[in-house]
Amino acid sequence: MIAMGAMDSMFKDFKLIAGRPVYIQVQDYMKHLIIKSALQGGQKLPSTRELSTLLKVSRNSIIAAYAGLEDDGFAYAVPGQGNFVAMTTPGSVTVASRPMNWQDHLSGHARLAEELDLMKRGIRAEKGTISFTSIAPDESLFDLDNVKRAFMDRMAVEGNVLLNYGYAKGYKPLMDYLRLYLEHKGVDMKGKDMLITNGFTEGLDLVLSALDHRHGSVLCENPTHHTAIKNLKLHGFGITGITMERDGIHLGELEQALAEGEYDCAYFVPSYHNPTGIVMSPEKRQGLMKLMAGYDIPVIEDGFNEELRYSGSHVSPLIATAGAGNSVIYLGSFSKVLFPGLRVGWVVADEELIYYLESLKRARTIHTSTLDQSILYQYLHNGNLEKYLKKARAEYKRKYELTLACCKEFLPYTALSGDGGLHLFVAFAEGFKTRELLEACRAQGVIFTPGDQFYTDGGGQHTMRLGFSRVRDAEIRKGIQIIGRAATRQLMG
Amino acid sequence: MIAMGAMDSMFKDFKLIAGRPVYIQVQDYMKHLIIKSALQGGQKLPSTRELSTLLKVSRNSIIAAYAGLEDDGFAYAVPGQGNFVAMTTPGSVTVASRPMNWQDHLSGHARLAEELDLMKRGIRAEKGTISFTSIAPDESLFDLDNVKRAFMDRMAVEGNVLLNYGYAKGYKPLMDYLRLYLEHKGVDMKGKDMLITNGFTEGLDLVLSALDHRHGSVLCENPTHHTAIKNLKLHGFGITGITMERDGIHLGELEQALAEGEYDCAYFVPSYHNPTGIVMSPEKRQGLMKLMAGYDIPVIEDGFNEELRYSGSHVSPLIATAGAGNSVIYLGSFSKVLFPGLRVGWVVADEELIYYLESLKRARTIHTSTLDQSILYQYLHNGNLEKYLKKARAEYKRKYELTLACCKEFLPYTALSGDGGLHLFVAFAEGFKTRELLEACRAQGVIFTPGDQFYTDGGGQHTMRLGFSRVRDAEIRKGIQIIGRAATRQLMG
């Protein structure tokens, strides 16, 4: 039994927080004291009346807390005598062992993943920094009420179903919706099927796992999406990058590469190409697919942000351009368009490939969050995408034009690309180092993404990507002005 | 211009559904007609007034639909003349190509994933079948109102944050909660860290990717969780299975295997071992960890369903038993305990390993659904787990006792195990074939899981797993009676 004075000081740091049952808070607190050995095995606990006074909570809460402690093996009751700390509490009996040196147990794959992890090599920005590194959506545009309504609507329809196991392929109402959505983009869904994934990234990872590696080589645009470069490398592929022109990939260079090499697949980003922001022209899409039709090479199409296109005229994705052809694997997602936090993407491809991808998906993550899928479905069904896109396109277009104007006014660039979307790509004179520019700008509170990380061949050291989606108007102007001054100084010096 | 008569028949299959804006439904419908070439390029569309009459929707809806069709490139307006179908509509220009034979492009890994995919080799049950194959939770226990409240609470606090990108490691409030939760289980978190994953399965997959494969060999219980067997094989590991005794793994056999072989890791399921339902005794846990302490072998602990234990006395997970030791990788999940639809699991291990796992996770799926994580966090914070567990344990215990009693009454078994949880494991005499039993039972509308798929060495053909969590009381009795009669007939015949 502890003296009341000792207990006074022992229990005085207990603080109630809102929204969590009081008895659970008491229980947590007592467990903490027991684990830290502030209360020891065999020691008598304060009576429920005493503890109620000490912690200033109701005696019922203490009674419930003591019952919980007993259930969890932290305490025991002796009838007529009170409650005692258990002699052997969780964690009190342990086995001594030599510490393991984890470096001895890591795979080369894990080391490579860490080495290629840009988030671990990235630029740390202090608070208040103007950051052009993100191309995530502007969360102030989010229509939270529609998301809440979608959740409540769907929970009312089939809450029990949503919270239990779903199917590896995906949540059927969402797949039905997306099938129609893709048909409206001109995709011939006959003989094709769909797999829902945890966003674009899982889709790409599964597809790269499913493809044969006999040539160990992949074709893509140069520069291209850095996550794709990382995952291609992690899957052991060598990368042949094809130069980008103002309207998309250089077809002549592609033709030559196709004639000279052997490839397991090709990866293209026809809409809002990352990092250049270029939308491949309809003519080039036709040309590209005509060229690829002569080769037996699967084409992975990254549908990145095609929904954000501002212009009225329709541009078909490659998978639509391919018509009844079955060589294109389309990776779609609304992540950047709607809500990245909902991890939902989809793969559309020949039904035979999807059949194998389904098994891979099941082995990796069983299935994609049904809640995420069902909220997305209901949000789409309720007609919110159309309304949201109207608002988002207008806002991003405004920001795009502002960013473009600021670049033209302040930056000593040699080339500038970006047909809209969420970012622009800037090239300075050959020999210019944007990593040096970044150092100078960071010291003045402005950061951006150096372009070299998007290149497949170590090039692009004179380039940078400016993501404007999450930067406020005044800061776009101020930030680009600072970059411009630093770049001019660097060019002169 | 189409004659009104033709239009009449053309538009008569339009049907409004509830909950989706009318103009979007009109737009969808018109796109469908255009894509199917029922309306052709250059053709004049009905006037807004005509279509309003034909489809019986407001003229404003038609006006909005036509504007949407124009935005999406399906139609164009000629001032003073009306609306026309676009000459080149999405999908109307396509490239011809030879069909691709996907069998020529699949990796061995994809083929193996398909081959090991039990869902593709599984027993198809007709509606009305009494199925003992599932060990998913009984969804009628779900406290949907608390889940809804958790969602609304969290959305109110930081809806914008939840819907934008999160962190690869996980959602911080959830990780803080789980850290405390694990400390209360006796886990020494010093020097350890956590990664949130898309359920247990992703956690296991990432860990197996991160571990060195120099010996190409893994130790585990025999039988063991079939998903683990699948994923170990997919990662190229050979499997050494150790016999199960009534209180857990056979330590003598394990000792011998450790002395004779070299292993990259060990995988154990100490609580509600799948498929035997055995809870490893505290003494055996100590013995196991003492034995493992003599070897430099990472231990993967599958925390499967330890929350469901009915008994009051505490059993520490292996990672707690290991104390300050850093060799255990703990894979946790509330999937089976709470809601499998929320794809949230966690890996707790040495912080150095987690550092690499974080990069692997980012490369595979970027991060786990923030919404799932935040709902789970708020649900836990609100104190719902404790209340839910009380209800769920009582209900599963009742069903467990019923199933046990029925097995004892009806089945000609030779061994029966399962200390609670969601399933029992039954062995018949050596030489008995439960796959033959399954065929006989299926014909009578009862199915179960044949035990051989849990064995690492092709054994267990005389065993079966009975999952009772989702079977109603009357059907538990009826189903086991049918299995018992069929088994008796098979034994005699």
Side-chain angles (χ1 to χ4, degrees):
Chain A
M1 169 101 205
I2 327 168
M4 264 314 251
M7 281 198 289
D8 264 354
S9 66
M10 179 174 289
F11 296 110
K12 75 179 178 200
D13 62 336
F14 177 76
K15 276 192 186 64
L16 276 176
I17 53 170
R20 186 162 166 84
V22 171
Y23 81 94
I24 295 179
Q25 295 189 54
V26 173
Q27 201 173 303
D28 284 347
Y29 179 75
M30 298 299 284
K31 285 182 180 178
H32 181 76
L33 292 178
I34 293 169
I35 282 173
K36 301 289 160 195
S37 296
L39 289 167
Q40 294 182 338
Q43 188 171 330
K44 187 172 189 302
L45 291 169
S47 71
T48 52
R49 191 182 302 276
E50 283 165 349
L51 195 57
S52 161
T53 308
L54 284 165
L55 300 185
K56 301 185 183 68
V57 302
S58 80
R59 202 167 153 212
N60 279 341
S61 295
I62 305 292
I63 291 169
Y66 277 3
L69 288 173
E70 195 174 349
D71 279 351
D72 293 347
F74 282 81
Y76 60 96
V78 178
Q81 291 190 41
N83 297 284
F84 295 81
V85 178
M87 292 304 290
T88 306
T89 58
S92 61
V93 186
T94 57
V95 174
S97 66
R98 287 171 300 183
M100 180 167 276
N101 180 358
W102 277 98
Q103 286 296 331
D104 295 343
H105 295 279
L106 289 171
S107 64
H109 186 72
R111 288 179 210 282
L112 185 60
E114 194 278 330
E115 190 187 313
L116 298 176
D117 188 349
L118 290 171
M119 294 296 279
K120 288 194 171 149
R121 306 278 168 274
I123 321 119
R124 302 262 168 234
E126 277 167 50
K127 224 174 163 162
T129 299
I130 301 174
S131 171
F132 293 100
T133 58
S134 175
I135 56 169
D138 174 1
E139 57 205 34
S140 71
L141 293 173
F142 291 171
D143 49 341
L144 293 185
D145 285 342
N146 290 331
V147 175
K148 286 183 203 163
R149 190 167 310 121
F151 172 84
M152 294 308 262
D153 283 359
R154 211 63 215 153
M155 283 296 278
V157 174
E158 49 175 3
N160 285 329
V161 171
L162 303 185
L163 294 177
N164 218 325
Y165 277 111
Y167 296 97
K169 273 177 78 174
Y171 179 61
K172 195 170 177 301
L174 178 64
M175 289 196 292
D176 289 344
Y177 188 98
L178 290 174
R179 204 165 280 130
L180 200 65
Y181 181 78
L182 287 160
E183 280 176 357
H184 290 169
K185 287 190 180 208
V187 179
D188 180 354
M189 290 296 290
K190 214 176 127 199
K192 297 193 180 74
D193 204 349
M194 186 185 294
L195 176 78
I196 303 286
T197 58
N198 290 299
F200 160 82
T201 306
E202 188 185 40
L204 180 61
D205 187 53
L206 292 174
V207 167
L208 295 180
S209 295
L211 291 180
D212 193 58
H213 285 46
R214 84 188 66 155
H215 308 299
S217 187
V218 170
L219 275 171
C220 65
E221 290 129 337
N222 184 30
T224 192
H225 186 16
H226 46 8
T227 295
I229 294 178
K230 174 171 77 174
N231 279 312
L232 287 168
K233 286 182 178 171
L234 276 171
H235 282 270
F237 286 111
I239 302 174
T240 301
I242 307 294
T243 307
M244 283 290 289
E245 296 184 301
R246 193 57 196 82
D247 63 345
I249 192 166
H250 190 302
L251 289 184
E253 210 179 288
L254 177 65
E255 191 166 9
Q256 196 180 340
L258 284 165
E260 289 171 359
E262 301 251 49
Y263 308 93
D264 297 305
C265 67
Y267 165 78
F268 300 123
V269 193
S271 301
Y272 291 127
H273 175 261
N274 190 0
T276 65
I278 289 169
V279 178
M280 195 186 292
S281 67
E283 297 70 32
K284 196 151 247 185
R285 288 171 194 239
Q286 292 275 328
L288 175 65
M289 290 315 293
K290 269 182 197 146
L291 192 52
M292 294 306 294
Y295 295 86
D296 188 34
I297 300 174
V299 171
I300 301 171
E301 175 177 21
D302 180 344
F304 183 67
N305 276 0
E306 58 188 47
E307 276 70 22
L308 279 187
R309 296 196 58 248
Y310 313 148
S311 123
S313 72
H314 185 92
V315 179
S316 294
L318 300 178
I319 195 172
T321 308
N326 65 347
S327 66
V328 180
I329 306 162
Y330 178 87
L331 299 176
S333 160
F334 292 140
S335 279
K336 293 285 196 316
V337 179
L338 286 173
F339 317 115
L342 295 183
R343 303 302 307 146
V344 180
W346 52 94
V347 185
V348 174
D350 187 87
E351 56 194 10
E352 184 155 17
L353 177 63
I354 295 289
Y355 178 81
Y356 286 89
L357 289 175
E358 180 193 0
S359 290
L360 278 172
K361 164 80 182 170
R362 190 175 282 122
R364 298 270 175 87
T365 56
I366 303 191
H367 67 73
T368 300
S369 162
T370 315
L371 217 50
D372 281 13
Q373 292 184 73
S374 68
I375 292 174
L376 179 60
Y377 161 69
Q378 190 71 49
Y379 180 93
L380 294 170
H381 175 84
N382 291 356
N384 295 309
L385 176 67
E386 288 78 0
K387 282 180 257 169
Y388 180 80
L389 278 182
K390 197 160 281 186
K391 183 174 70 169
R393 279 183 191 140
E395 173 62 7
Y396 290 136
K397 187 174 186 203
R398 202 185 55 67
K399 276 196 176 172
Y400 162 74
E401 282 164 358
L402 171 65
T403 310
L404 191 64
C406 291
C407 286
K408 288 182 176 169
E409 185 175 350
F410 300 121
L411 296 189
Y413 62 85
T414 57
L416 188 63
S417 64
D419 300 327
L422 307 168
H423 61 280
L424 283 173
F425 195 64
V426 181
F428 297 94
E430 285 288 342
F432 187 92
K433 305 278 186 217
T434 46
R435 292 219 173 241
E436 286 172 21
L437 177 63
L438 177 59
E439 281 313 307
C441 291
R442 174 158 51 170
Q444 295 171 74
V446 181
I447 60 172
F448 54 81
T449 308
D452 54 3
Q453 61 189 249
F454 301 99
Y455 279 76
T456 61
D457 56 359
Q461 300 190 1
H462 61 303
T463 64
M464 67 178 185
R465 189 184 73 179
L466 291 178
F468 52 76
S469 50
R470 302 184 72 183
V471 193
R472 280 176 299 161
D473 288 9
E475 300 198 321
I476 288 177
R477 194 176 170 81
K478 186 177 160 203
I480 294 177
Q481 206 163 10
I482 288 171
I483 298 172
R485 273 201 300 262
T488 306
R489 211 171 303 129
Q490 195 170 315
L491 276 167
M492 309 216 294
Chain B
M1 170 100 205
I2 327 168
M4 264 312 252
M7 282 197 289
D8 264 354
S9 66
M10 178 173 291
F11 297 111
K12 75 180 177 199
D13 61 337
F14 177 76
K15 275 191 187 64
L16 275 176
I17 54 170
R20 186 163 165 86
V22 171
Y23 81 94
I24 294 179
Q25 295 190 54
V26 172
Q27 202 174 301
D28 284 347
Y29 179 74
M30 298 300 283
K31 284 182 181 178
H32 181 75
L33 292 179
I34 293 169
I35 282 172
K36 302 290 161 197
S37 296
L39 289 167
Q40 295 183 335
Q43 189 171 329
K44 188 172 187 299
L45 291 168
S47 72
T48 53
R49 191 182 302 274
E50 284 165 349
L51 195 57
S52 161
T53 308
L54 284 165
L55 300 185
K56 300 186 184 67
V57 302
S58 79
R59 204 170 152 208
N60 278 342
S61 295
I62 304 294
I63 291 169
Y66 277 3
L69 287 173
E70 195 174 349
D71 279 351
D72 293 347
F74 283 79
Y76 60 97
V78 178
Q81 291 190 43
N83 297 284
F84 295 81
V85 178
M87 292 305 290
T88 307
T89 57
S92 62
V93 185
T94 58
V95 174
S97 66
R98 287 171 301 181
M100 180 168 277
N101 180 357
W102 277 98
Q103 287 296 333
D104 295 344
H105 295 278
L106 289 170
S107 65
H109 185 74
R111 289 178 209 281
L112 185 60
E114 194 279 331
E115 191 187 313
L116 299 175
D117 188 349
L118 289 171
M119 294 297 279
K120 288 193 170 149
R121 306 278 168 274
I123 322 119
R124 302 261 169 236
E126 278 167 48
K127 223 174 165 162
T129 300
I130 301 175
S131 171
F132 294 99
T133 58
S134 176
I135 57 169
D138 175 2
E139 57 205 33
S140 72
L141 293 174
F142 291 171
D143 48 340
L144 293 186
D145 286 341
N146 289 331
V147 175
K148 286 182 203 162
R149 190 166 311 119
F151 172 83
M152 294 307 262
D153 283 359
R154 210 64 215 150
M155 283 296 278
V157 174
E158 48 176 3
N160 286 329
V161 171
L162 303 184
L163 294 178
N164 218 325
Y165 275 111
Y167 295 98
K169 274 179 77 174
Y171 179 59
K172 195 171 177 300
L174 177 64
M175 290 196 291
D176 288 343
Y177 188 98
L178 291 173
R179 203 165 282 129
L180 201 65
Y181 181 78
L182 288 160
E183 279 176 357
H184 291 169
K185 289 189 180 209
V187 179
D188 180 354
M189 289 297 290
K190 213 176 128 200
K192 297 194 180 73
D193 204 350
M194 185 184 295
L195 177 78
I196 304 287
T197 58
N198 291 300
F200 160 82
T201 306
E202 187 184 40
L204 179 61
D205 187 54
L206 293 175
V207 167
L208 295 179
S209 295
L211 291 179
D212 193 58
H213 285 46
R214 82 187 69 153
H215 308 300
S217 187
V218 170
L219 276 171
C220 65
E221 291 127 337
N222 183 30
T224 193
H225 185 17
H226 47 9
T227 296
I229 295 177
K230 174 172 77 173
N231 279 312
L232 288 168
K233 286 182 178 170
L234 277 172
H235 282 270
F237 287 112
I239 303 175
T240 301
I242 308 293
T243 307
M244 282 292 288
E245 296 183 301
R246 193 58 197 80
D247 62 346
I249 192 166
H250 191 302
L251 289 184
E253 210 180 288
L254 177 64
E255 191 166 9
Q256 197 180 335
L258 285 165
E260 289 172 359
E262 302 250 49
Y263 308 93
D264 296 306
C265 67
Y267 165 79
F268 300 123
V269 192
S271 301
Y272 291 127
H273 175 260
N274 190 0
T276 66
I278 289 168
V279 179
M280 195 186 292
S281 67
E283 298 69 33
K284 197 151 247 186
R285 288 171 194 239
Q286 291 274 327
L288 176 65
M289 291 315 293
K290 269 181 196 144
L291 192 52
M292 294 306 295
Y295 296 86
D296 188 34
I297 300 174
V299 171
I300 302 172
E301 174 176 22
D302 181 344
F304 183 67
N305 276 1
E306 57 187 49
E307 275 70 21
L308 280 187
R309 295 195 60 247
Y310 313 149
S311 123
S313 72
H314 185 94
V315 179
S316 293
L318 300 178
I319 194 170
T321 308
N326 66 347
S327 65
V328 180
I329 305 162
Y330 178 88
L331 300 175
S333 161
F334 291 141
S335 280
K336 293 284 194 319
V337 179
L338 286 173
F339 317 114
L342 295 183
R343 304 301 307 145
V344 180
W346 52 95
V347 185
V348 174
D350 186 88
E351 57 194 9
E352 185 156 16
L353 177 63
I354 296 289
Y355 177 81
Y356 286 90
L357 288 175
E358 180 193 0
S359 291
L360 278 171
K361 164 78 182 170
R362 190 175 282 122
R364 297 272 174 85
T365 56
I366 303 191
H367 68 74
T368 301
S369 161
T370 315
L371 217 49
D372 281 12
Q373 292 185 73
S374 68
I375 291 174
L376 179 59
Y377 161 69
Q378 190 71 49
Y379 180 92
L380 295 170
H381 175 85
N382 291 356
N384 295 310
L385 177 67
E386 289 78 1
K387 283 180 257 171
Y388 181 82
L389 278 182
K390 196 159 281 186
K391 183 174 72 171
R393 278 184 192 140
E395 172 63 6
Y396 291 136
K397 189 175 185 200
R398 203 186 55 67
K399 276 197 175 172
Y400 163 73
E401 282 164 359
L402 172 65
T403 310
L404 191 64
C406 291
C407 285
K408 287 182 175 169
E409 187 176 348
F410 301 121
L411 296 189
Y413 62 85
T414 58
L416 188 62
S417 64
D419 301 326
L422 308 169
H423 62 279
L424 284 172
F425 195 65
V426 181
F428 296 94
E430 285 288 342
F432 188 92
K433 305 277 185 219
T434 46
R435 292 216 173 245
E436 286 171 20
L437 177 64
L438 177 59
E439 281 312 308
C441 291
R442 175 160 48 171
Q444 296 171 74
V446 181
I447 60 172
F448 53 80
T449 308
D452 54 3
Q453 60 188 251
F454 301 99
Y455 278 76
T456 61
D457 56 0
Q461 300 190 2
H462 59 305
T463 64
M464 67 178 185
R465 190 185 71 179
L466 291 178
F468 53 75
S469 51
R470 302 185 72 182
V471 193
R472 279 176 300 160
D473 288 8
E475 300 198 320
I476 287 176
R477 195 176 169 81
K478 186 178 161 201
I480 295 176
Q481 206 164 8
I482 288 172
I483 298 171
R485 273 200 301 263
T488 306
R489 210 170 303 130
Q490 195 170 316
L491 277 168
M492 308 217 294

